[in-house]
């Protein structure tokens, strides 16, 4: 009987816990009011989202709640027993909110300065020596069915007085029917966070993605919002902004004290902040709740409204023993903003038609416009000042081998609430759809195609080897590939063969590798190659493979050298945030152009090089992720540094010359929320000793020696000097700098939307021992080389056009010779 009463009581409490109130707050013109404060009868607070919508739970079906908003009259709403949705309209005060002018008398600024001064005392990562906690996260992509007009629209076209043809548009109806039953996408994750020695590590204990048996690591690693609210840069949707409590924030933000509210039994100041600067897209804005006693953050709402409407909410619990506010919950939401462009997110693309139709009339909202992403995280099992050592602290994320194989009992243990029927249906339907449509297999196939492979049984066919063209070989026809996991996970064989229609010679490569350590992706490889290569070109061994359906630059290259090489190398990621290659090779080199190398009076038409090389790329600001399949870069950040050193080995395997080469590259890239991007590239090299021209530097020329501009039109390279002629300059030391700034695509017509890119390149160089190089005529870069240009990329079907101009000391006498017009092609795979 006691058991029955206990179960009855538990069931009753569960029903009460599920009683939910929701609604929307608008102004008198029916426009939603984001960040309106909702205070419930139990003195808890919530806030409306970017759409002015709110949701809170109550244990009683009666009572009231208070709605307040900046510059509007406060309103008290009575909760009715049978009413769950409330539409609240607020009236504006006569003393409307004015633009805030910061002065010494501004109380909000005074409070913010105290927050800044006390950051180290309130930041858990500064105040506490260590801590650990677990987090349950649920992410959904869905829509509110109540927001969608589900009627079946029809339009009639009359052929005559007796007949008519009716076209049915049921897309909204079908979308509403689907979204009423399930979410469009859903994931769950349970993680353990550990902090110690100023490092934070996430260990993923369990992960579940609707429609996928194996985890999508890109989704797991996707960073929606900053974990800490105290960092100088606050990250929202992989874009960093100056934090409103950064040391220099008062010069960036305006602040206004709105109210004082009670949070967790402590009085807090409610401070509104907004970026001062007027920009095309809004800067960061939101509300901070500041503890009135210790000036710590008790709650934070961060928001961006522009291309996307994004909000991130951080909630905290006060821990009296540690005298610190520790984060308890985070919420992230993203909806469509004021844009016509498709939005790339989580490896996919959300498509929008825009708010304006082709006739420039306001477009009626389609059902898909109401789609939003919502991610909620709840922290629990929190321990402070722990002594547990962190394993592999250099990793930002580590995913356990069995994370995707957890039983339902595991999830029931960590879920804050049991899955509702809609969420359960989402797993069932998406899992079934994934199997029927073979989505997981198609995703794997798509990934390989993007990298330039097509899997055929146990072999991935290399698309780069099928056909290409250059001015020496003519059409290069070939076949190549590498074995995949169906063949073996610990051993691989790769190779290719190719034939040039112009030189009539067969080239080939054969190699094999064995996996030494899966966790660090360490491979021992060996290969033999008989092929040709462009002279004086720089190749970094650690550079990622870049697949292009068509690589245009080699078309006009005529100067190659033939080589036969034996190589053995070790590839590894054993050092944190690096990837390295250590290689030994013996290479026979034969220039295929008019050239002799003068070494101590002896002329060489061919030579042997035995070398040792180490190549390493270091990404100190990137985050690394350990997965069951190895170590990867979870968050690629800049700058990145690449170093490569090559040293010849005298008297080893008939090596002819003694030399060393140092090459380096630094890359920086910054993406903006408004679609713009700035990229910088600094690259250089220094060859010391006796180095043939074949292994020096040409600084990436890409211009033809033709008389007219029209004759010189060809395809643009990636980082090439478009106005520098092939074989015009050679250097034994050089430095190259490039800056590009790309603007968002400009809509001229529906299918004509070019992307404007401004480019400037420059290089300096020198040639040591020029007397050693017999045959070709060339110039040096001791006075520098400069060019600038404009690219209009993706004008139509991926094709674009660019113009470049050569200036400075190496400018040519004829004006036309300094101009280069280039065709570009960008393949957009939507990823």
């Amino acid at each position: 009987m006691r058991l029955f009463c206990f179960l009855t009581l538990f069931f009753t409490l569960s029903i009460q816990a599920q009683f939910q109130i929701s609604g929307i707050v608008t102004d008198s013109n029916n426009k939603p009011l984001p960040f309106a404060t909702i205070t419930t009868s139990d003195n808890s607070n919530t806030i409306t989202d970017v759409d002015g919508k709110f949701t809170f739970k109550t244990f009683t079906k009666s009572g009231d709640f208070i709605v307040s908003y900046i510059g509007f009259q406060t309103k008290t709403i009575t909760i009715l027993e049978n009413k769950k949705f409330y539409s609240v309209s607020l009236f504006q005060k006569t003393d409307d909110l004015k633009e805030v002018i910061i002065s010494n008398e501004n109380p909000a600024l005074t409070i913010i300065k105290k927050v800044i001064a006390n950051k180290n005392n309130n930041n858990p990562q500064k105040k506490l020596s260590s801590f650990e906690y677990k987090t349950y996260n649920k992410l959904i992509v869905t829509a509110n069915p109540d927001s969608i007009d589900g009627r079946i629209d029809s339009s009639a076209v009359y052929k005559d007085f007796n007949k008519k043809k009716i076209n049915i548009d049921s897309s909204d109806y079908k979308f509403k029917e689907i979204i009423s039953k399930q979410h469009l996408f859903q994931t769950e994750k349970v993680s353990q966070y550990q902090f110690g020695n100023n490092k934070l590590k996430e260990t993923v204990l369990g992960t579940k993605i609707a429609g996928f048996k194996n985890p999508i690591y890109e989704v797991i690693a996707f960073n929606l919002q900053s974990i800490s609210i105290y960092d100088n840069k606050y990250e929202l949707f992989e874009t960093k902004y100056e934090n409103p409590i950064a040391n220099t924030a008062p010069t960036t933000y305006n602040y206004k004290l709105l109210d004082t509210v009670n949070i967790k039994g402590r009085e807090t100041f409610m401070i509104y902040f907004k970026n001062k600067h007027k920009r095309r897209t809004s800067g960061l804005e939101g509300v901070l709740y500041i503890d009135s006693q210790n000036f710590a953050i008790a709650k934070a709402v961060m928001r961006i409204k522009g291309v996307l409407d994004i909000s991130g909410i951080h909630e905290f619990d006060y821990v009296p023993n540690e005298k610190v506010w520790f984060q308890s919950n985070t919420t992230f939401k993203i909806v469509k903003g004021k844009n016509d462009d498709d939005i790339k997110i989580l490896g996919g693309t959300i498509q929008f038609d825009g708010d304006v139709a082709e006739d420039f009339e306001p477009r009626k909202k389609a059902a898909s416009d109401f789609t939003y992403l919502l991610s909620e995280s709840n922290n629990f099992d929190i321990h402070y000042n722990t002594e547990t050592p962190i394993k592999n602290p250099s990793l930002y994320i580590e995913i356990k081998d069995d994370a995707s194989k957890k039983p339902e009992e595991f999830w029931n243990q960590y879920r804050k609430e049991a899955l509702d029927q809609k969420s359960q249906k989402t797993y069932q339907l998406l899992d079934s759809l994934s199997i029927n449509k073979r989505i997981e297999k198609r995703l794997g196939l798509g990934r390989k195609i993007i990298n330039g492979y097509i899997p055929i049984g146990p072999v991935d066919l290399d698309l780069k080897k099928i056909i290409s063209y250059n001015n020496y070989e003519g059409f290069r026809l070939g076949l190549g590939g590498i074995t995949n996991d169906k063949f073996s996970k610990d051993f691989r064989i790769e190779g290719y063969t190719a034939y040039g229609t112009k030189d009539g010679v067969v080239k080939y490569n054969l190699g094999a590798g064995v996996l030494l350590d899966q966790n660090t992706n360490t491979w021992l490889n060996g290969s033999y190659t008989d092929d040709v290569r462009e002279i004086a070109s720089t190749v970094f061994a650690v550079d990622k493979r870049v697949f292009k359906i068509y690589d245009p630059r080699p078309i006009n290259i005529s100067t190659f050298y033939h080589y036969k090489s034996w190589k053995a190398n070790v590839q590894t990621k054993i050092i944190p945030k690096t990837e390295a290659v250590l290689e030994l090779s013996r290479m026979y080199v034969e220039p295929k152009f008019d050239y002799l190398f003068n070494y101590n009076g002896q002329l060489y038409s061919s030579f042997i090089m035995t070398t040792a090389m180490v190549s390493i790329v270091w990404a100190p600001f990137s985050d690394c992720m350990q997965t069951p399949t190895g170590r990867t870069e979870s968050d690629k950040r800049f700058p990145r540094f690449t170093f490569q050193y090559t040293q010849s080995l005298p008297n080893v395997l008939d090596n002819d010359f003694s030399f060393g080469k140092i090459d380096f590259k630094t890359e920086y890239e910054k993406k903006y929320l408004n679609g713009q991007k700035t990229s910088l590239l600094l690259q250089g090299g220094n060859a010391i000793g006796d180095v043939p021209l074949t292994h020096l530097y040409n600084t990436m020329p890409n211009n033809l020696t033709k008389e007219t501009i029209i004759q010189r039109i060809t395809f643009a390279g990636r980082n090439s000097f478009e106005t520098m002629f092939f074989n015009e300059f050679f250097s034994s030391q050089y430095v190259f700098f490039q800056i590009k700034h790309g603007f968002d695509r400009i809509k001229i017509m529906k299918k004509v939307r070019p992307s404007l890119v401004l480019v400037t390149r420059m290089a300096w160089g020198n040639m040591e021992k020029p007397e050693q190089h017999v045959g070709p005529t060339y110039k040096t870069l001791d006075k520098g080389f400069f060019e600038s240009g404009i690219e209009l990329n993706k004008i139509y079907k991926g094709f674009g056009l660019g113009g470049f101009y050569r200036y400075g000391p190496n400018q040519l006498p004829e004006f036309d010779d300094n101009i280069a017009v280039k065709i570009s092609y960008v393949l957009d795979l939507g990823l």
Side-chain angles (χ1 to χ4, degrees):
M1 185 69 180
R2 279 186 296 178
L3 177 61
F4 174 79
C5 292
F6 174 78
L7 292 175
T8 303
L9 176 62
F10 178 80
F11 179 77
T12 304
L13 291 175
S14 298
I15 294 295
Q16 289 177 333
Q18 293 299 315
F19 185 69
Q20 181 172 286
I21 299 296
S22 60
I24 185 171
V25 179
T26 61
D27 63 11
S28 56
N29 295 319
N30 208 32
K31 291 183 178 180
L33 296 177
F35 301 149
T37 300
I38 312 295
T39 304
T40 62
S41 56
D42 60 354
N43 289 323
S44 62
N45 294 281
T46 187
I47 202 165
T48 60
D49 64 13
V50 292
D51 299 316
K53 297 177 181 177
F54 64 89
T55 299
F56 66 87
K57 294 176 181 178
T58 178
F59 288 99
T60 61
K61 296 184 179 181
S62 60
D64 52 39
F65 61 92
I66 300 171
V67 183
S68 57
Y69 191 73
I70 307 164
F72 286 77
Q73 298 176 13
T74 299
K75 180 176 285 189
T76 300
I77 306 298
T78 301
I79 298 175
L80 304 177
E81 183 174 352
N82 296 321
K83 187 175 181 180
K84 295 183 178 180
F85 186 87
Y86 294 82
S87 181
V88 182
S89 180
L90 299 183
F91 293 97
Q92 199 166 13
K93 292 180 180 179
T94 54
D95 56 337
D96 193 9
L97 177 68
K98 305 297 182 182
E99 184 72 16
V100 182
I101 300 175
I102 292 181
S103 66
N104 292 332
E105 286 71 36
N106 182 358
L109 182 59
T110 302
I111 295 169
I112 289 296
K113 287 181 177 179
K114 291 184 178 181
V115 173
I116 294 172
N118 287 276
K119 275 195 300 184
N120 289 345
N121 294 328
N122 295 317
N123 182 358
Q125 295 187 20
K126 298 290 185 180
K127 185 178 181 64
L128 304 175
S129 61
S130 62
F131 57 79
E132 63 179 55
Y133 61 91
K134 291 186 176 70
T135 295
Y136 167 77
N137 171 264
K138 182 180 179 182
L139 182 150
I140 59 173
V141 177
T142 190
N144 184 358
D146 297 333
S147 302
I148 302 169
D149 185 358
R151 294 174 301 172
I152 299 179
D153 297 327
S154 63
S155 58
V157 179
Y158 292 88
K159 290 185 175 181
D160 51 46
F161 290 105
N162 298 318
K163 298 179 180 179
K164 66 179 180 179
K165 178 182 178 181
I166 301 178
N167 299 319
I168 303 297
D169 179 9
S170 59
S171 57
D172 284 11
Y173 174 79
K174 291 178 179 178
F175 185 82
K176 182 171 183 176
E177 190 176 34
I178 292 171
I179 210 66
S180 298
K181 297 177 181 178
Q182 67 173 87
H183 302 304
L184 301 178
F185 181 74
Q186 178 174 284
T187 83
E188 291 179 281
K189 183 176 70 170
V190 174
S191 298
Q192 180 184 36
Y193 284 88
Q194 294 174 289
F195 175 80
N197 296 322
N198 295 317
K199 292 183 179 179
L200 182 68
K201 179 188 175 183
E202 177 188 4
T203 302
V204 178
L205 305 176
T207 177
K208 192 174 184 181
I209 302 178
F212 294 91
K213 187 176 294 184
N214 297 312
I216 305 175
Y217 300 122
E218 295 88 341
V219 174
I220 295 174
F222 198 85
N223 193 24
L224 297 174
Q225 63 190 117
S226 288
I227 294 176
S228 174
I229 197 65
Y230 286 97
D231 294 339
N232 284 331
K233 295 292 183 181
Y234 180 81
E235 190 166 0
L236 201 59
F237 198 47
E238 295 200 322
T239 302
K240 290 186 176 181
Y241 305 89
E242 185 173 18
N243 195 316
I245 59 168
N247 293 339
T248 58
T251 62
T252 304
Y253 293 97
N254 287 328
Y255 304 93
K256 183 176 179 64
L257 179 61
L258 302 178
D259 204 349
T260 56
V261 295
N262 188 284
I263 296 181
K264 311 294 183 182
R266 294 173 70 90
E267 187 180 58
T268 65
F269 299 115
M270 187 177 177
I271 294 181
Y272 171 74
F273 68 89
K274 185 175 183 179
N275 197 297
K276 293 180 180 180
H277 309 292
K278 302 295 183 181
R279 300 176 180 174
R280 180 187 167 192
T281 57
S282 303
L284 193 66
E285 65 174 307
V287 177
L288 299 176
Y289 295 79
I290 310 299
D291 189 317
S292 62
Q293 297 180 42
N294 60 8
F295 298 97
I297 295 179
K299 184 177 180 180
V301 180
M302 319 295 264
R303 178 203 182 195
I304 290 292
K305 188 172 183 180
V307 175
L308 301 172
D309 278 356
I310 307 172
S311 63
I313 301 175
H314 300 254
E315 296 182 88
F316 300 80
D317 284 334
Y318 186 71
V319 185
N321 292 339
E322 305 296 338
K323 296 182 180 180
V324 67
W325 285 87
F326 199 87
Q327 192 160 266
S328 58
N329 301 283
T330 58
T331 305
F332 175 91
K333 188 174 183 181
I334 175 172
V335 298
K336 183 195 173 187
K338 299 177 180 178
N339 71 300
D340 297 343
D341 296 333
D342 298 343
I343 297 168
K344 297 177 182 178
I345 178 172
L346 299 176
T349 302
I350 300 175
Q351 294 182 337
F352 295 114
D353 297 330
D355 293 324
V356 180
E358 288 188 43
D359 57 1
F360 298 99
E361 290 294 325
R363 179 181 66 82
K364 179 184 176 182
K365 280 194 172 185
S368 59
D369 289 326
F370 295 96
T371 303
Y372 65 87
L373 181 148
L374 177 65
S375 173
E376 295 180 297
S377 296
N378 302 303
N379 300 341
F380 59 95
D381 196 12
I382 304 171
H383 302 279
Y384 310 100
N385 297 318
T386 58
E387 301 297 331
T388 307
I390 301 175
K391 296 181 180 179
N392 300 321
S394 62
L395 296 172
Y396 183 69
I397 300 176
E398 182 175 0
I399 302 174
K400 291 295 186 181
D401 291 349
D402 63 344
S404 61
K405 303 172 184 177
K406 295 294 186 182
E408 194 64 20
E409 292 78 14
F410 171 87
W411 294 104
N412 291 334
Q413 177 185 356
Y414 291 114
R415 286 172 180 143
K416 189 175 181 180
E417 297 175 353
L419 286 184
D420 57 21
Q421 189 173 2
K422 190 172 182 179
S423 294
Q424 294 178 31
K425 203 75 173 176
T426 301
Y427 279 126
Q428 296 171 7
L429 295 176
L430 290 184
D431 288 349
S432 175
L433 178 65
S434 178
I435 293 172
N436 293 335
K437 299 292 185 180
R438 299 190 304 166
I439 292 176
E440 201 158 1
K441 290 183 178 179
R442 291 165 65 185
L443 178 62
L445 174 63
R447 284 173 171 169
K448 290 197 173 183
I449 291 176
I450 290 170
N451 290 317
Y453 293 102
I454 290 184
I456 301 176
V459 176
D460 292 343
L461 183 67
D462 192 341
L463 298 175
K464 293 181 71 173
K465 304 298 182 184
I466 296 176
I467 186 171
S468 60
Y469 182 87
N470 62 67
N471 210 27
Y472 173 75
E473 295 177 277
F475 284 101
R476 179 180 168 118
L477 309 175
L479 188 67
I482 183 171
T483 58
N484 55 38
D485 289 349
K486 290 184 179 180
F487 176 81
S488 173
K489 293 184 177 181
D490 303 321
F491 181 74
R492 65 190 180 195
I493 300 173
E494 59 182 321
Y496 65 82
T497 182
Y499 175 77
T501 59
K502 190 173 181 179
D503 67 342
V505 177
V506 176
K507 297 90 179 173
Y508 63 93
N509 161 273
L510 184 63
V514 59
L515 181 63
L516 301 181
D517 183 70
Q518 179 174 293
N519 288 335
T520 58
N521 301 86
T522 302
W523 286 81
L524 175 63
N525 307 295
S527 67
Y528 176 78
T529 307
D530 186 339
D531 206 339
V532 295
R533 180 179 295 167
E534 178 190 0
I535 69 166
S537 56
T538 302
V539 178
F540 290 91
V542 289
D543 275 353
K544 295 294 184 184
R545 170 190 169 98
V546 177
F547 171 63
K548 298 179 180 179
I549 290 181
Y550 181 63
D551 189 1
R553 186 177 174 273
I555 289 180
N556 303 299
I557 300 175
S558 303
T559 47
F560 285 78
Y561 64 87
H562 171 231
Y563 69 97
K564 298 178 182 179
S565 70
W566 290 93
K567 291 183 179 180
N569 67 47
V570 175
Q571 296 173 283
T572 184
K573 297 180 180 178
I574 192 170
I575 303 174
K577 300 191 178 183
T578 68
E579 182 172 353
V581 175
L582 292 84
E583 183 175 273
L584 292 174
S585 71
R586 182 185 186 273
M587 181 184 295
Y588 167 81
V589 179
E590 181 186 5
K592 307 304 289 185
F593 62 105
D594 182 20
Y595 176 72
L596 295 172
F597 183 61
N598 181 6
Y599 178 62
N600 294 332
Q602 183 178 350
L603 299 177
Y604 286 78
S605 60
S606 63
F607 31 85
I608 294 174
M609 295 180 170
T610 305
T611 59
M613 181 268 291
V614 57
S615 184
I616 184 168
V617 57
W618 178 43
F621 302 101
S622 293
D623 291 326
C624 295
M625 174 171 60
Q626 186 73 50
T627 74
T629 58
R631 189 171 298 176
T632 60
E633 200 172 15
S634 60
D635 189 5
K636 184 177 181 180
R637 294 180 181 175
F638 295 89
R640 305 167 63 83
F641 306 94
T642 305
F643 305 92
Q644 186 164 288
Y645 179 69
T646 307
Q647 178 63 55
S648 66
L649 303 176
N651 304 318
V652 176
L653 300 176
D654 301 320
N655 176 68
D656 285 322
F657 314 124
S658 177
F659 66 88
K661 285 184 67 178
I662 302 172
D663 297 286
F664 72 91
K665 178 170 60 175
T666 301
E667 302 166 274
Y668 178 80
E669 185 177 291
K670 182 175 177 60
K671 294 181 179 179
Y672 306 92
L673 195 64
N674 59 10
Q676 298 187 41
K677 182 175 76 172
T678 301
S679 59
L680 306 175
L681 173 62
L682 177 65
Q683 184 171 319
N686 185 17
I688 306 167
D690 300 303
V691 190
L693 192 68
T694 52
H695 288 68
L696 293 181
Y697 307 106
N698 62 12
T699 55
M700 299 162 287
N702 192 33
N703 199 13
L704 301 176
T705 52
K706 302 288 185 179
E707 291 187 6
T708 66
I709 296 175
I710 301 298
Q711 290 175 316
R712 294 196 300 271
I713 292 179
T714 184
F715 282 91
R718 185 184 179 192
N719 298 315
S720 306
F721 278 110
E722 306 298 343
T723 60
M724 182 186 291
F725 298 106
F726 287 103
N727 303 325
E728 184 181 2
F729 295 91
F730 289 101
S731 306
S732 56
Q733 301 99 26
Y734 83 102
V735 62
F736 165 84
F737 179 70
Q738 172 183 272
I739 180 170
K740 286 186 176 183
H741 183 81
F743 296 88
D744 196 10
R745 299 182 71 175
I746 305 167
K747 186 174 181 180
I748 299 176
M749 292 187 292
K750 185 174 183 179
K751 293 186 178 181
V752 180
R753 301 169 64 200
S755 172
L756 175 66
V757 180
L758 304 180
V759 185
T760 292
R761 301 184 180 98
M762 57 195 73
W764 293 266
N766 183 44
M767 175 63 80
E768 298 285 348
K769 303 180 182 180
E771 68 280 359
Q772 290 186 326
H773 311 294
V774 181
T777 301
Y778 61 88
K779 295 184 287 186
T780 61
L781 287 168
D782 54 304
K783 294 182 179 180
F785 189 96
F786 305 86
E787 77 171 23
S788 294
I790 299 175
E791 297 176 351
L792 280 175
N793 296 324
K794 296 187 284 190
I795 297 176
Y796 185 74
K797 300 290 185 181
F799 286 95
L801 197 64
F804 301 86
Y805 183 70
R806 171 173 173 166
Y807 55 93
N810 277 296
Q811 186 176 29
L812 299 173
E814 296 294 330
F815 177 78
D816 291 353
D817 291 341
N818 297 295
I819 297 175
V821 176
K822 297 298 173 76
I823 300 169
S824 65
Y825 181 75
V826 178
L827 178 65
D828 188 357
L829 295 172
L831 295 173

